[in-house]
Amino acid sequence: MSYEHVREVDPEVADALVGEVERQRDTLAMIASENHVSEAVLEAQGSALTNKYAEGYPGERYYAGCEYADEVEQLAIDRAKELWGAEHVNVQPHSGTQANQGVYYAVLDPGDKILSLDLEHGGHLSHGHPANFTGQFYEVEQYEVDPDTGYIDYDELREQAEEFDPDIIVSGYSAYPREVDFGAIQEAAEAVDAYHLADIAHITGLVAAGVHESPVGVADFVTGSTHKTIRAGRGGIIMCDEEYADDVNAAVFPGGQGGPLMHNIAGKAVGFREALEPAFEAYAAQTVDNAKALADQFRERGLELVSGGTDNHLVLIDLRPSHPDTTGKEVEAALEEVGVVLNANTVPGETRSAFNPSGIRAGTPGLTTRGFDEAATREVADVIADVVDAPDDADVKAEAAARVDDLTDEYTLYE
Ligand SMILES: *Cc1c(COP(=O)(O)O)cnc(C)c1O
């Protein structure tokens, strides 16, 4: 990845692009929503399809010259159907947030009611946060995880739904380490005659590989990001039954977007093809095994985990019981210095603020793409725990950085 054409035109950007590849090689990407796509996906995303206007859908475009755009989009759709088993798929949303927007716009009117998980408890901005359009156009009420267990209490959710009478219930989360019972949420939605949107942004890959329960065919709408565990490049996707196909398509284009990002859709097609290979199932299973190893080792080192552990690809540490004077931001910064890139995160019952929260979130999708097994992941857990114990100790950080260097040298990326 030398970016020679960019360099000829624009050395500053070329330096930044090369710098980013080196940053990814030399650090451990443990932001739970991130991953490393293959060079095949990168190439597809950097293709000449970026030039093509293809407003409309395969076979029904507003512009001439769409034969290859049609082929690529249809491949992406067909492969998504095979991966997740959906009746209808729209691969045009520019991101997971736009996918959610498409669903809301398809079935809600302004002022309709959304019931969703609170952001501090693991929800997402696009589920009704006041800073997002959803918090302004719709009436939003939020559910929370059980403060004692860290799990969603499905009985309580149902009671809350009966009281609030929402038009849509949103499930699927950004920082929830446990398996989601989509069937229970569907029952709550049906009990109050609400739609159910399952936003599987984080767990798309786990669901595709069958290592997490699937909401497809259960929830009315399933949305996702395509750059997280499914590893198909930046973008979004909507899945639903045929009965909602026309409404969803119209809500995405022309409802909320213009021309599709055909180069990104090419990336999705290639990434989905990779995910249909048997090796992807092993990848997804290893991602979960690694997260469990991470959680185990954290616990052994005296760290407290929200919900006590994990069923998926991420772990949420609540620093308050073990390190009451250390904040998530301090740990995030100290870990970045040693080459572990993760994020500070709010925890249920947050007592600090969203900007300087009490937790850190750590995910294994990126490490697993690099080939990490449980033993290597446990070593990373030790590095993190060492830094959590002494975020200001230069010797500890030097030792941690040396261990990260060894790991990034052994588990290579973009050779
Ligand atoms: C990541 C995420 C999204 C979408 O994010 P984009 O950045 O818009 O792709 C949506 N919902 C949840 C739950 C997420 O975690």
Side-chain angles (χ1 to χ4, degrees):
M1 277 176 251
S2 55
Y3 303 107
E4 71 227 46
H5 296 98
V6 180
R7 184 161 300 283
E8 262 171 45
V9 176
D10 189 338
E12 287 160 288
V13 168
D15 281 347
L17 296 181
V18 170
E20 175 60 15
V21 174
E22 285 170 0
R23 188 193 68 79
Q24 291 186 26
R25 277 190 194 129
D26 297 343
T27 60
L28 298 176
M30 296 189 73
I31 292 173
S33 48
E34 291 187 1
N35 209 333
H36 305 287
V37 300
S38 69
E39 291 188 53
V41 171
L42 288 180
E43 209 169 283
Q45 284 197 319
S47 67
L49 271 173
T50 195
N51 298 331
K52 189 68 200 103
Y53 247 116
E55 284 179 339
Y57 290 96
E60 310 168 329
R61 305 286 189 183
Y62 288 81
Y63 292 98
C66 286
E67 67 214 86
Y68 298 110
D70 278 2
E71 200 172 317
V72 164
E73 185 167 350
Q74 196 57 52
L75 283 167
I77 291 168
D78 293 345
R79 290 169 184 168
K81 285 182 177 173
E82 202 176 332
L83 273 173
W84 288 286
E87 277 183 21
H88 177 71
V89 173
N90 186 310
V91 293
Q92 291 194 4
H94 299 336
S95 79
T97 296
Q98 269 61 57
N100 290 340
Q101 180 190 330
V103 171
Y104 300 133
Y105 193 49
V107 296
L108 299 183
D109 291 317
D112 277 358
K113 295 191 204 171
I114 296 177
L115 178 60
S116 59
L117 185 68
D118 190 286
L119 186 71
E120 270 181 16
H121 288 244
H124 191 258
L125 288 165
S126 64
H127 295 179
H129 191 274
N132 183 264
F133 83 98
T134 47
Q136 295 163 28
F137 291 8
Y138 305 112
E139 187 184 338
V140 179
E141 193 171 293
Q142 303 210 284
Y143 54 98
E144 299 184 345
V145 298
D146 182 314
D148 297 323
T149 64
Y151 280 71
I152 291 164
D153 180 336
Y154 297 98
D155 294 331
E156 199 171 301
L157 168 58
R158 178 161 175 163
E159 277 169 35
Q160 198 176 352
E162 277 163 2
E163 219 157 277
F164 179 55
D165 193 23
D167 297 287
I168 196 165
I169 300 180
V170 183
S171 67
Y173 315 107
S174 296
Y176 185 68
R178 292 300 180 177
E179 177 130 11
V180 182
D181 185 349
F182 293 112
I185 296 175
Q186 179 65 21
E187 275 177 33
E190 281 171 16
V192 298
D193 204 18
Y195 293 110
H196 175 196
L197 162 59
D199 173 357
I200 59 168
H202 264 255
I203 57 170
T204 43
L206 308 186
V207 169
V211 301
H212 187 292
E213 176 186 324
S214 174
V216 176
V218 177
D220 302 290
F221 303 96
V222 177
T223 54
S225 302
T226 51
H227 45 277
K228 300 183 184 178
T229 47
I230 192 63
R231 230 169 35 181
R234 200 150 288 274
I237 187 169
I238 303 175
M239 298 178 256
C240 61
D241 284 348
E242 206 52 56
E243 64 175 306
Y244 302 120
D246 290 346
D247 288 344
V248 161
N249 282 357
V252 173
F253 171 83
Q257 295 184 174
L261 309 180
M262 284 312 309
H263 55 301
N264 276 26
I265 292 174
K268 293 172 194 180
V270 173
F272 295 165
R273 175 164 183 138
E274 290 172 340
L276 284 164
E277 298 292 326
F280 188 81
E281 269 174 45
Y283 163 73
Q286 188 65 50
T287 298
V288 175
D289 289 345
N290 286 348
K292 288 182 194 290
L294 193 68
D296 266 355
Q297 194 63 16
F298 282 155
R299 276 194 307 259
E300 222 150 273
R301 294 289 304 264
L303 294 168
E304 189 124 334
L305 307 181
V306 173
S307 85
T310 183
D311 299 325
N312 58 26
H313 62 297
L314 71 87
V315 173
L316 201 55
I317 300 174
D318 185 346
L319 293 164
R320 293 172 302 182
S322 59
H323 298 76
D325 300 324
T326 308
T327 71
K329 272 287 172 206
E330 273 175 71
V331 171
E332 177 189 297
L335 282 170
E336 188 175 5
E337 278 179 55
V338 309
V340 176
V341 184
L342 45 63
N343 64 293
N345 213 95
T346 53
V347 291
E350 182 57 64
T351 41
R352 288 197 176 91
S353 70
F355 285 111
N356 193 14
S358 306
I360 53 175
R361 188 183 67 162
T364 54
L367 300 187
T368 310
T369 291
R370 295 181 83 128
F372 278 60
D373 59 7
E374 288 102 312
T377 306
R378 276 180 188 274
E379 188 169 349
V380 178
D382 273 330
V383 168
I384 293 172
D386 288 346
V387 172
V388 168
D389 284 344
D392 298 318
D393 188 319
D395 292 339
V396 168
K397 283 192 282 191
E399 166 69 20
R403 290 169 83 181
V404 170
D405 277 349
D406 288 346
L407 286 164
T408 55
D409 285 349
E410 185 175 349
Y411 298 93
T412 54
L413 181 71
Y414 299 138
E415 272 308 286

